[in-house]
Every structure is written in C-alpha cells, then in structure tokens.
Amino acid sequence: MSDFIRLKWLLSESDIRAGTKAETLPLLSVSISWGVRRREATETTTRAAAEDLSNYKICRAGDLVINRMRAFQGALGIAPEDGIVSPDYAVLSVGPTIDTRWLKYFLTGRSTVATMASLVRGIGGTEAGNVRTPRLNIADLLSMTAPLLSAKEQSAIADYLDHETARIDTLIDEQQRLIETLRERRFALRVSVALHGTAQTEEVESPLPWAKKLPAHWRVVPLTSVAEIESGHTPSRSREDWWQDCHIPWVSLHDVGMIRGVKYLHETAQRISDAGIANSSARLLPARTVVLSRDATVGRTAIMGVPMATSQHFAAWVCGPDLDPEYLWVLFEDAMQPFFDSFQNGSTIRTIGMGDLKAFRIPLPPLDEQRRIVECLDEETSKIDMLIEEAARFIELSKERRSALITAAVTGQIDVREAA
C-alpha cells in the first residue's frame, strides 16, 4: 500500500435540506456506539412531534454521515436508509468505486481518528477531552489521504474485518451480559443476607414495606431510636489543620456510592482546604458517619473510617451502641434502595424531606449478628467484584485488539489474503 489518494476524490459533500420531506423521511442519528440508525431506536431521545425539522439535511442510503463534534472519537457511519440528520452533521456521497464497509473501517481506525483529532478546531485540547464547540471541518477531512486500493482489495479487507470483528464483538457481548448477571447476583445476595442473616432461622411477616419477612428474633425499630441525624459543624477557620495541608476529605455527590470505611482511596477527592467551600455549607462529621444523599442522586451513600466534610445535601447518621454503621450502610446501599423512591418529593429536584428521614424504620438484628452479616458480605461480594473486574478487563483488552486489528488491516500491516 505505497500509493495514496486524497479523500476529496472519493467523497463529495451533500447539503440538501429536507423542507417538506421532513414529514416523511425517518430521523437518523449517529454515535460512537452504533454508527447511524433511526433516532427512535436509541434509548436516550425520541422524535418530538412539534419539532421543526425542515432545515435538517437529507442523506441517502450508503451516504457517509459524520457527527462533526465527535468525529475525532469515531462518531460516524454509513446511512442504512434514506433519512434526515441534524444540520450540524456532515453528509458525504461515496464514490461508486468505494466499498462503504471498507470506508467505515478506515475512518474509524486508530491512525485516521488520531489524524481527525489533530484537525479538530475549537477551544481546548482533544487529548483532555475539553474542547469547547469542537468541529471537524469537512475541507480538512477531504484533505486527508487514504490507501489507493482496488474495489477487490477493499472488499477483501472489509470481508476479513467483518468476520474478525464479529467474533470479537460476540465475545464482548458475552462478557457484558456476564457483568450484568454478576451485578444482579451481587445485589440480590446483599439484600438477602441483609434482611435474612447468615443462618437459617424462623421468620415472620415484616411490617416494613421493603422486606416481606424477617428473622423472628430481630426487632424493627425507628432509625432515630438507634442513630442520630448529625448536623455537624462548620470547620472553623481558626483551626489551621483543617484548612492547610488538611487530610480530612470533602465528600461530594460525585464521590458517594463509591466510599466505604477506610477503603476510601479516591485520588481526586477534594480536601476542605482546596474545595473552595463556603463556611455556611460545609459540615465536619465524625468518623463512621453514614451519609445519605437526599436529592438528585437520592439513595447514594457513603461511610468512612475517618472524619469527613460534606454539604447540607446529605442526611448524616451517627449510630448508637446497638447499631453497627456498616450494617446501616448495607441497608441504605442495597436493601432500602427501592424504598427511597416512594419518599421523593418535588418535580424538578426530587428530595427526601427531613420528616420522612426521621420516620425511617429498620430491621435490627443483635449487634454480633449485624457484624457477621457485614463480614459475610465483605467476603462474598469481593469474590463477585473480582469476577466483574476480570470481565471488564477482558472487554477493554478486546476493544483494544479490535481497534488494532482494524488499523492493521486497513493500513496493509496484515495481508488479508493470507489471513483469510
């Protein structure tokens, strides 16, 4: 593959506006994950009946459609049918000598995507992912070069990659399904052990709406009878150890749900001294406080083995001698999750009110049994977490291999005739 040709000789931009045809043509979308397909098929957006689409662009089956804002991330594809696309997308007609399958592989290969990234115009840098209003100018795209291949060579490469990437994609799908299954198993295990204990015992009907049965020797008590809602106090500016070289972490909504005990190792966690927190909103909480988010991420929780600081967005519970905070964390994090939705109020920002928080009731096993439950879940969920991590690593390696394989094939590093 020593000969190259500029893309302007293979592609030509099309800018036909839909006008009245917008009423009859399907609305298409393009993304990194699925290429081009009907927007109604996506899970994130639907076509609005009142939306004026007359200025949208028409694309024909076989046209190349590019999301110019995310082209450097591989957001492009071949239109499977006639349709209309966003006016900010680029639509390009593909020359008759070009195998569209090969073209898509070439444009999503590592080296091509890297070249696109270098051509993106905007404020910021694509490496850090912080370009504001980035765009790939089509003139820049058409100035890029591609290997000069015959139709037969393009088809051979596309056939090879269709076969090989399908095998890899099947493996990735299997691992993704495995992860979902493991996560479901993990959740079910944590709920079951939290509400039934680690040993078989006589059970009775539960008065709690989120637990059908509970061990007969457990009590059901108001949470306020075994824990207090801690208001905390504003870190004083007179305490230099809280504001200079401080080791007390600031826990934000981004962090909760990922924190437990002394396992908190979030490298990017802000400290009180560098979080820029106004005195009126900061609260310093004692070690082993269980915090529960009340608003947009309601139900997300955290517990730490060291003092921490939070804002007023959290309900902070300090457990008494009859309640292990680790057990309360398990209840909040898993068993009570479906229950929280029924207490949310508000239309724009849904929040659990303080009155509802104070009305919470929980199952209360004997203290030693609470600790056995926590220990059991630590051991069993760590095994599942390890399997999830292994599957996630396999997926990442498979994606890397897929990308490398595409690049190698379209650049001639692999002789597909010998590989076939």
Side-chain angles (χ1 to χ4, degrees):
M1 293 186 186
S2 57
D3 295 330
F4 291 84
I5 185 172
R6 291 196 182 278
L7 290 179
K8 68 179 181 179
W9 302 114
L10 307 179
L11 306 169
S12 58
E13 187 171 11
S14 173
D15 190 2
I16 303 172
R17 302 299 163 139
T20 58
K21 293 183 179 179
E23 299 299 322
T24 57
L25 289 172
L27 178 59
L28 306 181
S29 182
V30 60
S31 80
I32 299 170
S33 303
W34 56 73
V36 181
R37 67 177 181 179
R38 292 197 180 198
R39 184 178 291 189
E40 287 87 347
T42 71
E43 297 177 353
T44 56
T45 182
T46 57
R47 184 173 186 166
E51 189 178 359
D52 180 10
L53 305 178
S54 61
N55 195 43
Y56 275 46
K57 294 179 180 179
I58 291 179
C59 66
R60 302 298 182 188
D63 282 351
L64 173 66
V65 184
I66 298 177
N67 180 340
R68 297 192 303 135
M69 293 184 66
R70 303 184 69 188
F72 66 93
Q73 297 173 318
L76 53 87
I78 303 299
E81 60 181 327
D82 293 354
I84 58 174
V85 297
S86 166
D88 196 49
Y89 288 177
V91 178
L92 297 105
S93 299
V94 181
T97 62
I98 304 302
D99 187 313
T100 55
R101 296 175 301 150
W102 170 84
L103 179 64
K104 181 180 178 182
Y105 282 126
F106 171 73
L107 292 175
T108 55
R110 282 180 178 174
S111 57
T112 308
V113 169
T115 302
M116 286 185 191
S118 69
L119 297 174
V120 166
R121 300 169 187 261
I123 303 171
T126 56
E127 296 82 1
N130 61 358
V131 178
R132 286 183 289 167
T133 62
R135 294 290 189 281
L136 175 67
N137 290 340
I138 297 307
D140 291 332
L141 172 71
L142 296 179
S143 70
M144 294 169 53
T145 59
L148 181 59
L149 302 173
S150 68
K152 183 178 180 180
E153 289 172 315
Q154 294 174 35
S155 180
I157 291 172
D159 287 344
Y160 170 77
L161 288 175
D162 281 351
H163 181 265
E164 294 300 319
T165 58
R167 290 176 59 247
I168 296 173
D169 290 343
T170 298
L171 294 174
I172 290 174
D173 288 343
E174 290 174 353
Q175 293 300 307
Q176 288 174 334
R177 287 194 296 271
L178 174 61
I179 288 175
E180 289 304 310
T181 300
L182 289 170
R183 285 175 176 165
E184 291 172 3
R185 184 188 304 172
R186 185 186 193 278
F187 179 76
L189 171 68
R190 291 177 66 82
V191 172
S192 177
V193 175
L195 299 181
H196 303 287
T198 58
Q200 290 187 344
T201 185
E202 179 187 356
E203 294 193 337
V204 295
E205 294 296 322
S206 166
L208 301 173
W210 41 275
K212 292 182 179 180
K213 289 189 175 184
L214 294 169
H217 65 285
W218 290 14
R219 292 188 292 151
V220 174
V221 300
L223 180 53
T224 51
S225 70
V226 288
E228 294 182 354
I229 295 182
E230 174 67 48
S231 60
H233 65 276
T234 299
S236 172
R237 288 282 183 178
S238 64
R239 287 282 303 272
E240 292 186 1
D241 58 321
W242 287 345
W243 295 93
Q244 297 180 12
D245 299 322
C246 178
H247 294 287
I248 298 176
W250 173 269
V251 178
S252 68
L253 289 174
H254 173 74
D255 299 314
V256 296
M258 301 175 65
I259 306 170
R260 180 180 169 231
V262 295
K263 298 178 183 177
Y264 180 76
L265 297 172
H266 199 294
E267 294 180 359
T268 60
Q270 289 183 308
R271 308 295 176 178
I272 295 176
S273 53
D274 61 14
I277 307 303
N279 278 352
S280 60
S281 66
R283 290 185 300 166
L284 190 63
L285 300 170
R288 293 175 65 76
T289 299
V290 182
V291 296
L292 172 67
S293 169
R294 297 171 52 205
D295 47 26
T297 52
V298 66
R300 303 188 73 188
T301 61
I303 178 175
M304 297 187 63
V306 296
M308 61 181 163
T310 69
S311 72
Q312 303 293 338
H313 293 289
F314 296 99
W317 296 90
V318 176
C319 297
D322 294 327
L323 178 61
D324 189 313
E326 299 270 356
Y327 178 67
L328 178 61
W329 181 79
V330 171
L331 292 178
F332 279 168
E333 186 70 7
D334 298 288
M336 294 179 67
Q337 282 293 316
F339 176 66
F340 291 136
D341 290 339
S342 64
F343 279 104
Q344 294 183 62
N345 299 306
S347 55
T348 304
I349 299 178
R350 296 177 60 78
T351 304
I352 295 181
M354 289 301 295
D356 289 326
L357 285 171
K358 292 179 179 179
F360 281 175
R361 292 192 298 165
I362 64 167
L364 189 70
L367 187 59
D368 61 342
E369 192 168 354
Q370 295 175 40
R371 291 169 178 164
R372 286 198 300 273
I373 288 171
V374 171
E375 290 173 1
C376 173
L377 289 177
D378 275 352
E379 181 178 353
E380 296 302 319
T381 57
S382 64
K383 297 175 184 176
I384 299 175
D385 290 341
M386 188 178 300
L387 294 174
I388 292 174
E389 290 173 5
E390 289 175 358
R393 283 196 299 270
F394 180 90
I395 289 173
E396 288 305 309
L397 291 173
S398 297
K399 288 180 177 179
E400 291 175 9
R401 181 176 182 275
R402 188 185 193 279
S403 178
L405 184 67
I406 292 172
T407 299
V410 298
T411 57
Q413 298 174 44
I414 296 176
D415 187 342
V416 298
R417 294 170 301 180
E418 295 181 0

